[in-house]
Amino acid sequence: MRTLIHNIGTLAGILPQGKRKLSGEEMGKVECIDNAWLLVDDGIIVDFGPVSDSPLPQADKMIDAKGGYVMPSFCDSHSHVVYAGCRDGEFRDKIAGLSYEEIAARGGGILNSADLLHSTSEDELFRQSIQRVQEVMAKGTGALEIKSGYGLTTEDELKMLRVIKRIRQAVPIEIKATFLGAHAVGRAFRGNQQGYVDLVCNEMIPAVAAENLAEFVDVFCDEGFFTVEQTARILEVGAAHGLKPKIHANELAVSGGVQVGVKFGALSVDHLERTTDEEIEVLKGSQTMPTMLPGASFFLGMPYGRAKDYIRAGLPVALASDYNPGSSPSGDMRFVMALGCIRMRLTPEEAFNACTINSAYAMGVESMLGSITRGKKASLIITKPLPSLSFIPYAHQSPFIALGPDCLLKQLGYH
Ligand code: NIG
Ligand code: FE
């Protein structure tokens, strides 16, 4: 079925076929066509152009963009949206002055979420989690990576990953699953971190691979969590089971996580609230996407990543939400884009590219998503008429979506 989106005020985020990510100065440009049309065939972008050039192509169905922007949907390459309940009690502790590390050291934090998840049935976990996915789809997210890591036993990690699989089957957007067994040491292994790492390597990873439940493996490589040596071992076992690394690094301290991630060919190294120039040097010449999570900096009052320095060094940068109950209870990618501009001094164009093509790369979907490109999936946002692209992060609380990727994909024939 051919669908023509017409009356497009500005078609934004056009990239040539084969462009997988944008680095350095390239990040400052968003290619646009004003007064445009876009033709979709069975959910795939087949052509687009300016209205002035030639008569509009024939189609079975028309969608009127009413003068709005048409842009690629957001790709959110780092989230933990599968969790049970919430941690609003810790929110009070945080306001009263306790740090993230202090809450974790008291047995709260991730372990608190693991206890709640353990006592929640798989069906109930699915019900709670898909609501969050629906919430972010309505805010423009068209691809979402979701991590395990609130199970911390083999059984509960598998429960989480099965829920992610059910979500993938239930929604029209792209879902990628990451195994994050090494998120914290499970309660049964308190004082025996090595024993827990053995469990991750010898039991959890083989079980996850046997059911083909994840594409990626992640480790919280940070002070008070997992060491570089433990991370290396987990990544090695993950690689032997076909899992590509994505790493939590440098959130709480300069951890060596970037170096070990690059060494093992990580698709992305994420957080980077604390970075020295050495990390920037290490990332140069690698294929690893530095990914920053300004929602976590905002919520925990941590430093923001040095995105500008990375870009000046010629590197790409991706932004993602980190949607989770402890450090970033929001999956709003437009807010992420706004924080990128307001707190990290990215231009609106840099923030746009960081939330679309570069975050698509950071979750391995850049060949099908993240830009307006012939042959890619028409996972799009049609906006209300806007004065400029800058308006999106600038007036970040004013509703801007006329038709989001969820509704649009359904109209284009996805379930
Ligand atoms: O990315 N840092 C580790 N993991 C999450 C937080 C998880 C939690 O506190 O529940 C993050 O910030
Ligand atoms: Fe995270």
Side-chain angles (χ1 to χ4, degrees):
M1 185 186 66
R2 283 158 65 98
T3 306
L4 182 72
I5 306 179
H6 68 108
N7 201 8
I8 299 174
T10 303
L11 183 63
I14 300 165
L15 284 179
Q17 274 164 342
K19 190 77 187 161
R20 300 181 61 203
K21 59 181 172 177
L22 296 172
S23 306
E25 278 182 6
E26 294 175 331
M27 283 192 71
K29 177 122 182 67
V30 173
E31 190 70 38
C32 295
I33 301 176
D34 289 336
N35 301 318
W37 54 267
L38 179 130
L39 185 66
V40 178
D41 195 359
D42 285 339
I44 301 295
I45 299 171
V46 288
D47 208 358
F48 51 82
V51 170
S52 53
D53 266 13
S54 49
L56 291 181
Q58 293 295 310
D60 307 304
K61 188 173 160 183
M62 307 275 274
I63 296 176
D64 186 351
K66 298 182 181 161
Y69 273 69
V70 170
M71 58 177 270
S73 58
F74 295 123
C75 295
D76 187 352
S77 62
H78 183 137
S79 93
H80 310 247
V81 294
V82 170
Y83 59 85
C86 67
R87 303 225 296 270
D88 51 356
E90 290 176 11
F91 182 52
R92 290 184 168 279
D93 297 338
K94 194 177 88 68
I95 294 166
L98 286 187
S99 70
Y100 183 81
E101 292 93 320
E102 283 164 340
I103 292 170
R106 287 173 156 202
I110 295 168
L111 293 182
N112 191 347
S113 288
D115 294 342
L116 269 170
L117 188 133
H118 181 69
S119 58
T120 302
S121 72
E122 189 176 309
D123 282 347
E124 175 58 17
L125 185 62
F126 173 74
R127 195 191 64 75
Q128 293 183 20
S129 305
I130 198 151
Q131 274 180 17
R132 298 183 196 108
V133 177
Q134 279 154 354
E135 170 201 319
V136 300
M137 288 192 303
K139 288 179 179 289
T141 295
L144 180 66
E145 181 261 14
I146 311 175
K147 300 175 195 297
S148 71
Y150 293 120
L152 311 182
T153 64
T154 305
E155 195 187 332
D156 287 344
E157 284 294 309
L158 292 174
K159 175 160 94 177
M160 288 189 76
L161 290 164
R162 288 185 193 122
V163 166
I164 299 173
K165 184 174 176 183
R166 281 172 69 181
I167 292 172
R168 180 184 299 127
Q169 289 160 351
V171 297
I173 66 165
E174 191 70 30
I175 302 286
K176 290 279 181 192
T178 299
F179 167 67
L180 175 57
H183 198 193
V185 175
R187 283 206 196 276
F189 287 82
R190 204 189 165 113
N192 178 15
Q193 180 148 12
Q194 210 43 52
Y196 184 72
V197 173
D198 288 343
L199 181 78
V200 168
C201 292
N202 301 338
E203 194 176 293
M204 290 188 187
I205 291 177
V208 169
E211 277 192 53
N212 200 15
L213 286 172
E215 286 93 339
F216 307 119
V217 59
D218 196 341
V219 177
F220 190 6
C221 180
D222 221 319
E223 198 169 272
F225 288 83
F226 294 89
T227 65
V228 167
E229 292 70 32
Q230 290 166 337
T231 303
R233 185 168 160 224
I234 293 166
L235 297 190
E236 219 163 291
V237 176
H241 289 81
L243 302 176
K244 205 169 166 63
K246 278 170 71 67
I247 300 293
H248 276 73
N250 297 28
E251 177 181 2
L252 308 173
V254 175
S255 67
V258 171
Q259 288 80 347
V260 70
V262 167
K263 183 170 167 205
F264 283 86
L267 191 54
S268 70
V269 285
D270 302 24
H271 271 291
L272 313 177
E273 286 87 351
R274 335 232 167 207
T275 312
T276 65
D277 293 343
E278 192 194 318
E279 277 78 26
I280 294 180
E281 283 309 310
V282 165
L283 281 158
K284 281 190 200 165
S286 81
Q287 294 303 309
T288 300
M289 178 62 70
T291 300
M292 298 176 192
L293 312 171
S297 301
F298 172 76
F299 188 77
L300 294 185
M302 294 185 296
Y304 285 82
R306 292 167 50 192
K308 275 300 217 195
D309 289 338
Y310 281 64
I311 292 173
R312 272 189 217 107
L315 289 169
V317 168
L319 297 179
S321 77
D322 199 20
Y323 193 173
N324 77 76
S327 68
S328 179
S330 160
D332 184 344
M333 284 298 286
R334 191 217 196 163
F335 182 53
V336 167
M337 202 180 158
L339 288 174
C341 296
I342 298 162
R343 302 309 306 268
M344 302 164 90
R345 296 190 171 275
L346 296 177
T347 64
E349 290 76 17
E350 288 168 340
F352 177 98
N353 288 321
C355 293
T356 54
I357 187 64
N358 283 0
S359 46
Y361 179 97
M363 61 185 288
V365 297
E366 77 283 2
S367 65
M368 281 310 285
L369 291 161
S371 65
I372 305 293
T373 302
R374 289 176 188 86
K376 283 197 179 180
K377 186 172 169 182
S379 180
L380 308 167
I381 298 173
I382 301 181
T383 76
K384 297 169 191 282
L386 305 176
S388 65
L389 193 74
S390 307
F391 188 85
I392 297 173
Y394 156 73
H396 60 88
Q397 294 302 309
S398 302
F400 85 115
I401 296 179
L403 205 52
D406 46 349
C407 305
L408 205 50
L409 286 167
K410 275 184 205 141
Q411 290 197 23
L412 296 172
Y414 283 87
H415 61 102

